[in-house]
Structures are given as structure tokens and as C-alpha cells.
Amino acid sequence: MEIPNTSKPKTFYLGLCLAGAVSAGAYTAGAMDYLLEALEDWQMRKSRGDVNVPKHDVVIPVIGGASAGGMTGAIMASAMHDPIPPVKLAPDPLLAQVPSNKFYHSWVDLVADDMIKVMLDTSDLNQQNMQSLLNTDFIDQIAARALTVSAGAAVKREYLDKQMKLFFTLSNLEGMDFDVAFRSNLPNYNRYIITSHKDYLNFRMAESASDYKADGWIPLNFQKQLNADLAKQAAIATGAFPIIFRPRKITRDGQYLNDLKWFDPITKAADRPFDKGPYKTLNVDGGMINNEPFEKVRRVLIDITGQKDPNQYQSYQSFNSTVLMVDPFPSQPGKFTFDTKLTSVMGNTLTAIINQSRIKPETLIQAMDSELAGQFLVAPIRYGQGTDENYEGRYAIASGSMSGFGGFINKEFRIHDYFLGRANCEKFLRDHFTVPQDTENPIFKEGYSKIDKSVFISEKNNGLQIIPIFSRRKNEPYMPIFSNGQRWPSATQKEISGYRNALKKRVESVLFNLADYSPTEKALLWVGAKILLNGKVADSIIDNALSSLNEFGLLRHQ
């Protein structure tokens, strides 16, 4: 079937893929803050009729995200209805909250400066109903305030498609069964059941429920509260880190799954498709199965542009869309623990399962080719202070410590990562998100005609900026001075060791909630926990935290 081309002649389409990040969502949030600022500045200059402004348009028609990326994508989608003034400079005082900016308020402020105390609170553990190792009630509070928008007139953002699509990856614990027919000598075993745990929840910005196009994309309007609660639940569910954070239940109409083409392999192969009416799922972190859903973002772009031939959308001379992925933890070789201890094998096994489930063989070869135009990546890079050494990937961000949970320890870690995200995005748009100066691509050739192009040329590759940046380059440091007097934050060993009692209390409460013990068993367990177990567990966690912080240069020995 031929894909209809619904693109506009002078418009370039930018699909956002926001990868999972745990507490490093602060980095992605900072990058999105700067992206919105740049697009808003360009739109304002065009609407005023300023001179020397490129005439082409860049429009975001789709945002896809996993885990922390999905949560940030939902905030980005809500920006269609609410103003989000950029946070260009760190607050004064440094730890002051910034409720006017949902990116900053959701990922840096959270609900407390010290989130470890919040997550170790035991108020969620009662009546043997433990659902997660950490208290995650704060996530609901953040989602509620982040995705609630004002009832006034919507902000006009021409760069956000009025029918912008937003989707979340989910890991469906029950899974969806379908079968493959086999010819067998056993009459009752002629079908091979396959269970898919890869799930998606898809939305399209709309004005009313009647805008549904029977394609699986659920009408969404935050301002009118149209399926806004469902989107909020999806944003929370995609970030439900297995075991650590509690799983989330989602109920949607089964018809949405029947209509979505992404589920065709299941709905067409199944004996019966999903029934109309409530379809309930229990979900954990979407990043566990699909942490970087850039292939799905590309699929949406193809539907819009009609450019289904890679030779078209991977060429700078003909492409009219691209995927921009923001990934705080880009793929890097990990450290493998080569021993047979149970704890090591458990960790290695979980890592192997997750890594294997994320493989996308149809896109790996293309993704490794830096000369192709169909995908771009914003990832952390931090320039060394007074040295030529640069830090890349997880070692560039403070939240990269403790397997991505480091940002919960110290608000200054999150502040650092937010402003690094802003700085990296600015550098990317100025110097890397470009097309050749001599391009014959009609979008950019016309967009840059009859203006002085020199101010929009990259210092890195001499290319023309796809999103023009009007502000001057700054030589000043982009990072504030932290409490340690440096531009790279740190915590003290005393601060980390101070969590020991709260950890012991949480471990003790977790033990009591694992099963319905008799009074005698509880008494014995309490004695054992007090004498041996919870103290050793707490000490082990603290030792691992100190080791990780030290590895990342985040520990002050005093």
C-alpha cells in the first residue's frame, strides 16, 4: 500500500526519541528546555518579520519515549498548552525551586532536595502489601503537577504539530499471546504459543474524542482533560523500574490495540483479536524491552513524509525528516564481572536479557553510519576543567553513578545534569545539526535564500544549521559553582553514611512485608534483622554507593 504524503513543501519534520535514563532524566529535561527555547526564539523572530531569518519551518510531529524519556516527552507534549520559560541560569540561591518550568521542577526540584530520605520512607509498607523496594509515591505527585495545564488559551507553538503524536514504551508483564501453526503428530499441540511483552500506548493531540481515526492513536488533550489521566498513567508506568519502583496498572479499550498497526503481528495471528472494552495490563519500565524506540519514531515520520526509501531519508540532498534521539546513557561497552558468584550471575543474566530484547537488527547497520542523515544523537559530553580530558556518556553526568540512581542522592547532581543537557543541546544545534552549505535540498536552499547565511554556519563542519541559533556564542562557563567550590558537584562520605539508619529501617520493613508471618516468626525475624541482616544489607548498599560515587569523582573524602 502506498503511503500518503501529508508533508508541507518548506517544512522539515523532527521526530524526537527520548531514551530511558532513571534520575538522569534531568539531562534530557535540560536538552528539551533548550530545544524549546531555540524553536520559540526562531518562531518569534519570524512572526515579527525580522530580517535575516531563515524562512523554512521545523515541526515536531512525534515524540516517542521510554522510562524517564517517556515522562519528559509527556511534559514536552503538554507544552503545547502551557508556557515553559527556559531556565537559562542556575537559581539564586542554587537550591531554590523553579515551579514555572515543568522540566526543571519535575526533574531537578522533584519533591525534596534529598530524595533518598523520601524513597526510604516506610509509609508505603503496610499489611504485607509491599510492591517495591523503594517508596515511589512521590512519582504520582510529580506527574500530577507536571501534566496539569492551565485552562486558559493554548500557547501557540507553530513548531509543535497540532496533531502531534506521543507514545510510550511499556513492558507488559502478562504479555500478549499469539500462536504459530505447526503440523504435529499430536493433535492438541499443533500450535506454538508466543507471548510478546513489548507494549505501547499511543496518543495523538486532538480537540475531541470524535477526532479518533480508528488507527490506535488515542485522542489526547491535556487542557480539556481528554484522556489526560491515561497519558499520565502511561508516563508513570514507562518509568516503573522493575522491583525498585512499583509496577503500574493501565486500563484502555482493547479496540485501540486492534487498530494500531504496530500490533498487527499479534492481532492478525491470534485466534481472536482484543475484545472491545477494558483491556487491563500490569506494566513495568518500558526501557526494559525498548529503551530507544527510534525505529518507531522513524515509522511515524515515513507515514507523514512518504519517504519510505532509506536512500531518500538518509540523504542530506533529499531528506525532509530525521530522528533526534536524546540518550543520557548511549551504548558503551560495559564492565563484565567474570565470575560465577550468584550475585554476579544474577546481574549478568538480567543485563543479558535486557540487552538482547533491545536489539534492532534492521536498524543497527544504518545507525552506525555517521554519514547518514536519518538519525542524530544528543548525548552527554563534559569538558575537563583545566585539562584536555573530556568525559563522555555516563561518566559525563553526575546521575550516571549508582546505575543511574545517583541523581536522587544530591540535588546539585541533578542541577549539573540539567545544565549540561542544555549546553550539549545548544552545541549540537549550533555545530552538528546541519546540512552542507551547498545543499540542493529544496527545504534549506529556499529557507536560506536571500539572507546572510554566515551567522548560521557551524564552526565544526561548516554546515548550515537546520534550526538556526540567533544568540551569540558564549565563552563563559555554562555550569554554576556548586557548594564544593567546583563546577563538578560532590557529596561527602559522612552524608552517604548518614543514610544507614534509614536504610536499616527500610530493610526491616521490607522483610516484614515479604510474607504473612505468625507472631513467633515475626519475633524471630525481628531479632535476626536487628542482629545481623538489615545492618549488613544497609552497610553493603552504602559501600556500593560510596564505591560508585568515588568511581565517578563525586565523593569528597572529609
Side-chain angles (χ1 to χ4, degrees):
M1 183 180 76
E2 191 67 25
I3 298 173
N5 186 336
T6 59
S7 60
K8 301 175 183 178
K10 67 169 187 173
T11 300
F12 186 80
Y13 293 91
L14 179 62
L16 299 181
C17 175
L18 308 181
V22 199
S23 67
Y27 176 87
T28 304
M32 290 299 97
D33 187 29
Y34 187 82
L35 177 62
L36 268 187
E37 179 187 342
L39 289 168
E40 188 71 15
D41 185 27
W42 184 20
Q43 175 183 296
M44 179 186 66
R45 292 170 187 271
K46 284 193 290 187
S47 64
R48 288 192 316 216
D50 289 6
V51 297
N52 212 52
V53 176
K55 299 179 291 294
H56 65 284
D57 297 319
V58 170
V59 171
I60 299 173
V62 57
I63 303 173
S67 191
M71 298 176 183
T72 307
I75 298 173
M76 186 77 165
S78 74
M80 182 175 290
H81 302 288
D82 258 2
I84 301 183
V87 185
K88 299 182 180 182
L89 298 172
D92 185 15
L94 184 61
L95 299 184
Q97 295 195 0
V98 187
S100 61
N101 185 295
K102 289 184 176 181
F103 293 119
Y104 194 94
H105 200 40
S106 299
W107 282 108
V108 179
D109 292 337
L110 294 174
V111 298
D113 293 352
D114 183 352
M115 287 300 300
I116 297 298
K117 289 183 179 178
V118 173
M119 297 163 75
L120 292 178
D121 182 81
T122 59
S123 61
D124 63 321
L125 298 176
N126 56 75
Q127 299 178 351
Q128 285 73 48
N129 190 32
M130 186 181 72
Q131 299 181 51
S132 59
L133 292 181
L134 295 177
N135 187 331
T136 57
D137 290 345
F138 72 95
I139 296 176
D140 298 77
Q141 181 181 341
I142 294 172
R145 77 186 186 203
L147 300 182
T148 298
V149 302
S150 60
V155 176
K156 291 185 178 180
R157 300 187 191 273
E158 301 297 333
Y159 47 84
L160 298 182
D161 194 305
K162 292 181 180 178
Q163 298 186 58
M164 184 172 67
K165 292 181 174 179
L166 170 69
F167 72 86
F168 306 88
T169 66
L170 300 170
S171 295
N172 184 331
L173 291 182
E174 180 182 11
M176 309 171 193
D177 292 340
F178 62 104
D179 52 43
V180 178
F182 276 84
R183 299 182 67 178
S184 170
N185 61 311
L186 300 177
N188 294 325
Y189 291 87
N190 61 352
R191 293 190 178 278
Y192 183 74
I193 303 299
I194 297 176
T195 302
S196 173
H197 297 272
K198 185 180 293 187
D199 199 352
Y200 302 92
L201 200 46
N202 299 39
F203 298 89
R204 178 192 284 109
M205 306 306 290
E207 290 300 315
S208 68
S210 62
D211 291 332
Y212 181 58
K213 300 181 180 181
D215 57 1
W217 292 86
I218 304 169
L220 173 63
N221 191 301
F222 289 106
Q223 190 178 45
K224 297 181 179 180
Q225 287 296 299
L226 175 62
N227 292 313
D229 188 63
L230 182 59
K232 182 183 72 175
Q233 293 304 317
I236 295 173
T238 191
F241 198 93
I243 303 174
I244 307 296
F245 294 168
R246 67 182 174 92
R248 300 291 177 150
K249 299 175 183 177
I250 288 180
T251 301
R252 66 199 121 150
D253 196 305
Q255 189 61 40
Y256 292 135
L257 289 89
N258 288 331
D259 292 341
L260 188 65
K261 291 181 180 179
W262 296 2
F263 288 121
D264 278 357
I266 297 174
T267 56
K268 288 185 177 180
D271 283 337
R272 61 176 180 81
F274 298 99
D275 293 331
K276 289 184 179 181
Y279 174 72
K280 299 179 181 180
T281 57
L282 183 63
N283 311 276
V284 294
D285 196 330
M288 187 174 73
I289 290 181
N290 193 353
N291 196 55
E292 297 97 2
F294 56 85
E295 80 288 358
K296 295 300 184 185
V297 174
R298 167 53 60 192
R299 185 167 175 174
V300 173
L301 292 175
I302 289 173
D303 289 343
I304 293 170
T305 65
Q307 286 190 340
K308 56 183 178 180
D309 183 351
N311 292 323
Q312 287 183 304
Y313 66 71
Q314 294 287 10
S315 168
Y316 286 101
Q317 298 301 326
S318 59
F319 77 143
N320 58 11
S321 71
T322 197
V323 177
L324 171 57
M325 182 161 73
V326 181
D327 193 349
F329 301 127
S331 298
Q332 294 172 297
K335 294 182 179 179
F336 182 75
T337 306
F338 202 92
D339 64 50
T340 58
K341 289 191 301 185
L342 179 60
T343 53
S344 298
V345 172
M346 288 172 62
N348 289 337
T349 301
L350 179 60
T351 299
I353 292 172
I354 293 175
N355 286 344
Q356 188 64 29
S357 68
R358 290 176 178 173
I359 286 179
K360 306 176 179 71
E362 71 277 11
T363 55
L364 280 178
I365 295 177
Q366 290 182 0
M368 289 187 289
D369 191 338
S370 62
E371 297 303 315
L372 298 180
Q375 58 268 333
F376 287 81
L377 173 67
V378 176
I381 179 169
R382 172 169 56 93
Y383 300 97
Q385 300 177 32
T387 69
D388 294 329
E389 184 178 11
N390 297 332
Y391 300 88
E392 299 178 359
R394 67 181 67 249
Y395 287 100
I397 51 178
S399 300
S401 59
M402 296 175 60
S403 301
F405 284 83
F408 294 124
I409 285 182
N410 191 314
K411 185 174 182 177
E412 292 190 3
F413 291 8
R414 306 191 295 272
I415 293 172
H416 173 276
D417 293 352
Y418 190 89
F419 285 101
L420 185 66
R422 278 186 53 89
N424 284 175
C425 186
E426 178 180 355
K427 177 69 173 174
F428 167 79
L429 295 180
R430 284 188 188 277
D431 291 330
H432 300 277
F433 197 44
T434 62
V435 295
Q437 273 196 65
D438 59 354
T439 181
E440 291 297 317
N441 188 308
I443 295 175
F444 306 105
K445 187 174 182 179
E446 178 184 346
Y448 276 103
S449 66
K450 300 179 181 179
I451 67 171
D452 177 12
K453 297 185 289 187
S454 63
V455 294
F456 306 111
I457 292 177
S458 161
E459 290 185 354
K460 179 74 174 179
N461 58 26
N462 265 345
L464 285 173
Q465 295 166 355
I466 293 176
I467 296 175
I469 304 300
F470 296 88
S471 60
R472 67 176 180 86
R473 290 181 185 269
K474 297 179 181 179
N475 294 321
E476 301 87 15
Y478 53 83
M479 196 63 62
I481 299 291
F482 296 103
S483 58
N484 61 5
Q486 305 293 322
R487 298 192 189 278
W488 176 242
S490 60
T492 66
Q493 183 169 342
K494 182 179 179 180
E495 290 170 344
I496 306 304
S497 298
Y499 293 122
R500 189 174 190 274
N501 287 337
L503 273 167
K504 287 179 63 177
K505 184 178 179 181
R506 180 76 190 183
V507 170
E508 179 183 316
S509 297
V510 165
L511 289 173
F512 279 121
N513 279 270
L514 286 175
D516 187 11
Y517 298 106
S518 68
T520 302
E521 290 171 326
K522 283 186 176 182
L524 292 173
L525 185 59
W526 182 85
V527 172
K530 286 291 183 184
I531 295 176
L532 180 65
L533 190 55
N534 60 353
K536 286 189 175 295
V537 172
D539 289 342
S540 177
I541 293 173
I542 288 174
D543 288 345
N544 286 333
L546 291 171
S547 176
S548 180
L549 293 174
N550 189 59
E551 178 187 356
F552 279 71
L554 292 163
L555 188 64
R556 295 203 309 274
H557 299 279
Q558 62 181 46

